[in-house]
Amino acid sequence: MRIARIAQPDGLAFAEIRGDGDDLTAVEIADDPFANPTFTGRSWPLADVRLLAPFLPPKIVAIGRNYAEHAAEMGNEVPAEPLMFLKPNTAVIGPNAEIKLPAVSERVDFEGELAVVVGVGGRDIPASRARQSVLGYTIANDVTARDLQKTDGQWTRAKGFDTFCPLGPWVETSFDPSDVAIRTEVDGVVKQDSRTSLLIHDIPALIEYISSVMTLRPLDVILTGTPAGVGPLTAGQTVSVTVEGLGTLTNAVSAR
């Protein structure tokens, strides 16, 4: 099931996205979309509504250097344990919203990622039960002010600007993330091209590790790391992250 949040003619709504290819329909959900949804009977062609971020996560837990080639391109060793940091939920924007480049940074990079949406959550979740705590998956762009990341010595400012966490286009609840293609394009030019099977720490291991530190709540988001090929964004460009089987998350870039 593909769960989206949309702006429709009468306001905001959750919807199931049905169909294939360009023939997609948003079918309005009447109640909690993440429990046992029922439907209002209303629907719209997807082209007639606007996709928003699927939801506002309570927290965003991100993982750094989780692809060996990305660690190498940044001149870093592969960490023995997951390298964990947080992004504020105020950084979240949805599909087609603008990534705003802050004047204080001279280099802002894209980082296309597979994102995990927590369902049941909990604390001290063993890897053997990790998938039972997952609601679904979506796509993220862990936008990063690279120069500030280097000068600050920690990553909060570099990762935390408003608009620095595009999410979407929807949450897919029936999805196998173990070996799918992940690709980032800037103005139609492929910049990142990898597969999730190359994750150093897989999703069950990440859930076990994170939940040993902090309780995972329903709708928390885990960013699983970015492949090699990260690079700068400039105002006027468009960046798209595609995960095979999930769809494409596209955002324009402008000056803040």
Side-chain angles (χ1 to χ4, degrees), residues 3-5 51-55 92-96 113-115 117 137-141 165-172 221 241-243 246-251:
I3 302 171
R5 190 165 62 99
L51 285 168
L52 307 172
F55 57 91
V92 171
I93 57 173
N96 302 311
E113 307 201 10
L114 170 67
V117 181
Y137 301 86
T138 189
I139 303 170
N141 190 341
C165 191
L167 285 179
W170 41 65
V171 176
E172 174 59 78
V221 166
V241 184
T242 300
V243 175
L246 284 185
T248 298
L249 171 65
T250 298
N251 296 91

Short mmCIF file of all heavy atoms in Angstrom, two decimals, residues 3-5 51-55 92-96 113-115 117 137-141 165-172 221 241-243 246-251:
data_model
loop_
_atom_site.label_atom_id
_atom_site.label_comp_id
_atom_site.label_asym_id
_atom_site.label_seq_id
_atom_site.Cartn_x
_atom_site.Cartn_y
_atom_site.Cartn_z
N ILE A 3 0.96 5.04 0.84
CA ILE A 3 0.22 6.03 1.62
C ILE A 3 0.86 7.39 1.40
O ILE A 3 2.07 7.58 1.61
CB ILE A 3 0.24 5.68 3.11
CG1 ILE A 3 -0.37 4.29 3.34
CG2 ILE A 3 -0.51 6.73 3.92
CD1 ILE A 3 -0.18 3.77 4.75
N ALA A 4 0.05 8.35 1.00
CA ALA A 4 0.53 9.70 0.73
C ALA A 4 -0.31 10.71 1.49
O ALA A 4 -1.43 10.42 1.93
CB ALA A 4 0.47 9.99 -0.76
N ARG A 5 0.25 11.90 1.63
CA ARG A 5 -0.52 13.05 2.14
C ARG A 5 -0.62 14.05 1.00
O ARG A 5 0.39 14.35 0.34
CB ARG A 5 0.15 13.66 3.36
CG ARG A 5 -0.70 14.69 4.10
CD ARG A 5 -0.12 14.97 5.49
NE ARG A 5 1.21 15.53 5.42
CZ ARG A 5 1.48 16.83 5.54
NH1 ARG A 5 0.51 17.71 5.71
NH2 ARG A 5 2.73 17.26 5.48
N LEU A 51 1.25 16.45 -3.95
CA LEU A 51 1.85 15.60 -2.95
C LEU A 51 2.61 16.43 -1.92
O LEU A 51 3.37 17.34 -2.27
CB LEU A 51 2.80 14.60 -3.60
CG LEU A 51 2.17 13.43 -4.35
CD1 LEU A 51 3.23 12.71 -5.18
CD2 LEU A 51 1.50 12.45 -3.40
N LEU A 52 2.42 16.10 -0.66
CA LEU A 52 3.13 16.72 0.45
C LEU A 52 4.06 15.70 1.08
O LEU A 52 4.03 14.51 0.72
CB LEU A 52 2.13 17.23 1.48
CG LEU A 52 1.01 18.15 0.94
CD1 LEU A 52 -0.01 18.42 2.05
CD2 LEU A 52 1.58 19.44 0.40
N ALA A 53 4.87 16.11 2.03
CA ALA A 53 5.61 15.13 2.82
C ALA A 53 4.61 14.15 3.42
O ALA A 53 3.55 14.57 3.90
CB ALA A 53 6.41 15.82 3.92
N PRO A 54 4.88 12.85 3.40
CA PRO A 54 3.87 11.87 3.84
C PRO A 54 3.37 12.08 5.26
O PRO A 54 2.24 11.74 5.57
CB PRO A 54 4.60 10.54 3.69
CG PRO A 54 5.70 10.78 2.72
CD PRO A 54 6.11 12.21 2.90
N PHE A 55 4.21 12.63 6.14
CA PHE A 55 3.86 12.89 7.54
C PHE A 55 5.00 13.68 8.14
O PHE A 55 6.05 13.86 7.50
CB PHE A 55 3.65 11.57 8.31
CG PHE A 55 4.84 10.67 8.26
CD1 PHE A 55 5.83 10.75 9.22
CD2 PHE A 55 5.00 9.76 7.22
CE1 PHE A 55 6.96 9.93 9.16
CE2 PHE A 55 6.12 8.94 7.14
CZ PHE A 55 7.10 9.04 8.11
N VAL A 92 12.02 18.88 7.30
CA VAL A 92 11.24 18.07 6.35
C VAL A 92 10.46 18.95 5.38
O VAL A 92 9.80 19.92 5.78
CB VAL A 92 10.28 17.14 7.11
CG1 VAL A 92 9.31 16.45 6.15
CG2 VAL A 92 11.07 16.10 7.90
N ILE A 93 10.55 18.61 4.11
CA ILE A 93 9.69 19.15 3.06
C ILE A 93 9.22 17.98 2.20
O ILE A 93 9.76 16.88 2.28
CB ILE A 93 10.38 20.21 2.19
CG1 ILE A 93 11.66 19.65 1.54
CG2 ILE A 93 10.68 21.47 2.99
CD1 ILE A 93 12.31 20.58 0.54
N GLY A 94 8.24 18.24 1.35
CA GLY A 94 7.69 17.18 0.52
C GLY A 94 8.17 17.25 -0.91
O GLY A 94 9.03 18.07 -1.27
N PRO A 95 7.62 16.39 -1.76
CA PRO A 95 7.98 16.39 -3.17
C PRO A 95 7.69 17.75 -3.81
O PRO A 95 6.68 18.39 -3.51
CB PRO A 95 7.08 15.31 -3.76
CG PRO A 95 6.69 14.45 -2.61
CD PRO A 95 6.63 15.35 -1.43
N ASN A 96 8.59 18.16 -4.69
CA ASN A 96 8.45 19.38 -5.49
C ASN A 96 8.55 20.67 -4.68
O ASN A 96 8.45 21.76 -5.26
CB ASN A 96 7.14 19.36 -6.29
CG ASN A 96 7.06 18.16 -7.20
OD1 ASN A 96 7.99 17.86 -7.93
ND2 ASN A 96 5.94 17.44 -7.14
N GLU A 113 18.87 8.86 -0.31
CA GLU A 113 18.86 7.76 0.66
C GLU A 113 17.52 7.02 0.66
O GLU A 113 16.47 7.59 0.39
CB GLU A 113 19.13 8.28 2.07
CG GLU A 113 20.40 9.13 2.15
CD GLU A 113 20.97 9.23 3.55
OE1 GLU A 113 20.51 8.50 4.45
OE2 GLU A 113 21.89 10.05 3.73
N LEU A 114 17.58 5.75 1.02
CA LEU A 114 16.41 4.97 1.39
C LEU A 114 16.07 5.29 2.84
O LEU A 114 16.96 5.32 3.70
CB LEU A 114 16.69 3.48 1.25
CG LEU A 114 15.63 2.52 1.82
CD1 LEU A 114 14.34 2.60 1.01
CD2 LEU A 114 16.17 1.09 1.85
N ALA A 115 14.79 5.56 3.12
CA ALA A 115 14.35 5.89 4.47
C ALA A 115 13.40 4.82 5.00
O ALA A 115 12.52 4.35 4.27
CB ALA A 115 13.68 7.25 4.50
N VAL A 117 10.47 3.87 7.76
CA VAL A 117 9.44 4.47 8.62
C VAL A 117 9.09 3.46 9.71
O VAL A 117 8.68 2.33 9.42
CB VAL A 117 8.19 4.83 7.80
CG1 VAL A 117 7.14 5.48 8.71
CG2 VAL A 117 8.56 5.76 6.64
N TYR A 137 8.52 2.18 3.89
CA TYR A 137 9.73 2.80 3.38
C TYR A 137 9.37 3.99 2.51
O TYR A 137 8.32 4.01 1.85
CB TYR A 137 10.55 1.79 2.58
CG TYR A 137 10.95 0.58 3.39
CD1 TYR A 137 10.08 -0.50 3.51
CD2 TYR A 137 12.15 0.54 4.08
CE1 TYR A 137 10.42 -1.61 4.29
CE2 TYR A 137 12.50 -0.56 4.86
CZ TYR A 137 11.63 -1.63 4.96
OH TYR A 137 11.96 -2.71 5.73
N THR A 138 10.26 4.98 2.49
CA THR A 138 10.10 6.12 1.60
C THR A 138 11.49 6.56 1.15
O THR A 138 12.48 5.85 1.36
CB THR A 138 9.30 7.24 2.29
OG1 THR A 138 8.98 8.25 1.33
CG2 THR A 138 10.05 7.85 3.46
N ILE A 139 11.56 7.70 0.49
CA ILE A 139 12.81 8.21 -0.08
C ILE A 139 13.16 9.51 0.63
O ILE A 139 12.27 10.30 0.98
CB ILE A 139 12.67 8.44 -1.59
CG1 ILE A 139 12.23 7.15 -2.29
CG2 ILE A 139 13.97 8.96 -2.19
CD1 ILE A 139 11.84 7.35 -3.75
N ALA A 140 14.45 9.73 0.84
CA ALA A 140 14.90 10.95 1.50
C ALA A 140 16.10 11.53 0.76
O ALA A 140 16.80 10.84 0.02
CB ALA A 140 15.28 10.67 2.95
N ASN A 141 16.31 12.81 0.99
CA ASN A 141 17.52 13.49 0.54
C ASN A 141 18.12 14.17 1.77
O ASN A 141 17.55 15.13 2.30
CB ASN A 141 17.16 14.52 -0.55
CG ASN A 141 18.39 15.09 -1.24
OD1 ASN A 141 19.50 15.02 -0.72
ND2 ASN A 141 18.18 15.67 -2.40
N CYS A 165 15.63 18.12 4.56
CA CYS A 165 15.23 16.71 4.61
C CYS A 165 13.97 16.48 3.76
O CYS A 165 12.90 16.20 4.30
CB CYS A 165 15.00 16.24 6.03
SG CYS A 165 14.82 14.43 6.16
N PRO A 166 14.08 16.56 2.44
CA PRO A 166 12.95 16.15 1.60
C PRO A 166 12.59 14.69 1.85
O PRO A 166 13.48 13.84 1.94
CB PRO A 166 13.48 16.36 0.18
CG PRO A 166 14.55 17.39 0.31
CD PRO A 166 15.20 17.09 1.63
N LEU A 167 11.27 14.41 1.95
CA LEU A 167 10.76 13.05 2.14
C LEU A 167 9.60 12.82 1.16
O LEU A 167 8.80 13.71 0.93
CB LEU A 167 10.23 12.84 3.56
CG LEU A 167 11.19 12.67 4.73
CD1 LEU A 167 10.40 12.51 6.02
CD2 LEU A 167 12.12 11.49 4.52
N GLY A 168 9.51 11.60 0.65
CA GLY A 168 8.36 11.26 -0.19
C GLY A 168 8.77 10.32 -1.31
O GLY A 168 9.86 9.77 -1.30
N PRO A 169 7.92 10.16 -2.32
CA PRO A 169 6.64 10.83 -2.48
C PRO A 169 5.50 10.23 -1.63
O PRO A 169 4.46 10.84 -1.48
CB PRO A 169 6.34 10.67 -3.97
CG PRO A 169 7.04 9.39 -4.33
CD PRO A 169 8.27 9.33 -3.48
N TRP A 170 5.73 9.02 -1.10
CA TRP A 170 4.73 8.33 -0.28
C TRP A 170 5.44 7.28 0.55
O TRP A 170 6.66 7.08 0.43
CB TRP A 170 3.66 7.66 -1.16
CG TRP A 170 4.22 7.00 -2.40
CD1 TRP A 170 5.06 5.92 -2.47
CD2 TRP A 170 4.01 7.43 -3.75
NE1 TRP A 170 5.38 5.63 -3.78
CE2 TRP A 170 4.74 6.54 -4.59
CE3 TRP A 170 3.26 8.45 -4.35
CZ2 TRP A 170 4.76 6.66 -5.99
CZ3 TRP A 170 3.27 8.57 -5.73
CH2 TRP A 170 4.01 7.68 -6.52
N VAL A 171 4.69 6.60 1.41
CA VAL A 171 5.21 5.47 2.19
C VAL A 171 4.69 4.20 1.57
O VAL A 171 3.47 4.02 1.41
CB VAL A 171 4.78 5.57 3.67
CG1 VAL A 171 5.25 4.34 4.44
CG2 VAL A 171 5.32 6.84 4.30
N GLU A 172 5.59 3.30 1.22
CA GLU A 172 5.22 1.99 0.67
C GLU A 172 5.32 0.96 1.78
O GLU A 172 6.39 0.76 2.37
CB GLU A 172 6.15 1.63 -0.49
CG GLU A 172 5.96 0.23 -1.05
CD GLU A 172 4.55 0.00 -1.57
OE1 GLU A 172 4.25 0.46 -2.68
OE2 GLU A 172 3.76 -0.66 -0.84
N VAL A 221 11.69 8.25 11.58
CA VAL A 221 12.30 7.93 10.30
C VAL A 221 13.79 7.64 10.50
O VAL A 221 14.48 8.36 11.24
CB VAL A 221 12.11 9.09 9.29
CG1 VAL A 221 13.02 8.93 8.08
CG2 VAL A 221 10.66 9.16 8.84
N VAL A 241 15.76 11.85 -6.53
CA VAL A 241 16.25 10.60 -5.94
C VAL A 241 15.23 9.51 -6.26
O VAL A 241 14.05 9.66 -5.95
CB VAL A 241 16.44 10.72 -4.42
CG1 VAL A 241 17.04 9.42 -3.86
CG2 VAL A 241 17.31 11.92 -4.06
N THR A 242 15.70 8.44 -6.88
CA THR A 242 14.84 7.32 -7.26
C THR A 242 15.29 6.06 -6.53
O THR A 242 16.48 5.73 -6.53
CB THR A 242 14.88 7.07 -8.78
OG1 THR A 242 14.43 8.24 -9.46
CG2 THR A 242 13.98 5.89 -9.16
N VAL A 243 14.35 5.38 -5.89
CA VAL A 243 14.60 4.06 -5.32
C VAL A 243 13.71 3.07 -6.05
O VAL A 243 12.49 3.26 -6.11
CB VAL A 243 14.33 4.03 -3.81
CG1 VAL A 243 14.48 2.61 -3.27
CG2 VAL A 243 15.26 4.98 -3.06
N LEU A 246 9.99 2.14 -5.28
CA LEU A 246 9.37 3.13 -4.42
C LEU A 246 8.89 4.36 -5.19
O LEU A 246 7.88 4.96 -4.83
CB LEU A 246 10.34 3.60 -3.33
CG LEU A 246 10.59 2.66 -2.15
CD1 LEU A 246 11.47 3.35 -1.12
CD2 LEU A 246 9.29 2.22 -1.51
N GLY A 247 9.62 4.75 -6.20
CA GLY A 247 9.26 5.95 -6.95
C GLY A 247 10.40 6.94 -6.97
O GLY A 247 11.56 6.58 -6.77
N THR A 248 10.06 8.21 -7.20
CA THR A 248 11.06 9.27 -7.34
C THR A 248 10.64 10.48 -6.51
O THR A 248 9.48 10.88 -6.51
CB THR A 248 11.21 9.69 -8.81
OG1 THR A 248 11.67 8.57 -9.57
CG2 THR A 248 12.23 10.82 -8.95
N LEU A 249 11.61 11.03 -5.80
CA LEU A 249 11.44 12.24 -5.01
C LEU A 249 12.20 13.37 -5.70
O LEU A 249 13.42 13.31 -5.84
CB LEU A 249 11.98 12.03 -3.60
CG LEU A 249 12.08 13.24 -2.69
CD1 LEU A 249 10.70 13.81 -2.37
CD2 LEU A 249 12.84 12.90 -1.39
N THR A 250 11.49 14.40 -6.15
CA THR A 250 12.09 15.49 -6.91
C THR A 250 11.88 16.80 -6.19
O THR A 250 10.80 17.09 -5.68
CB THR A 250 11.47 15.57 -8.31
OG1 THR A 250 11.75 14.36 -9.02
CG2 THR A 250 12.04 16.74 -9.11
N ASN A 251 12.96 17.60 -6.14
CA ASN A 251 12.90 18.92 -5.51
C ASN A 251 13.72 19.92 -6.32
O ASN A 251 14.82 19.61 -6.79
CB ASN A 251 13.45 18.88 -4.09
CG ASN A 251 12.63 18.00 -3.18
OD1 ASN A 251 12.92 16.80 -3.05
ND2 ASN A 251 11.60 18.55 -2.57
#
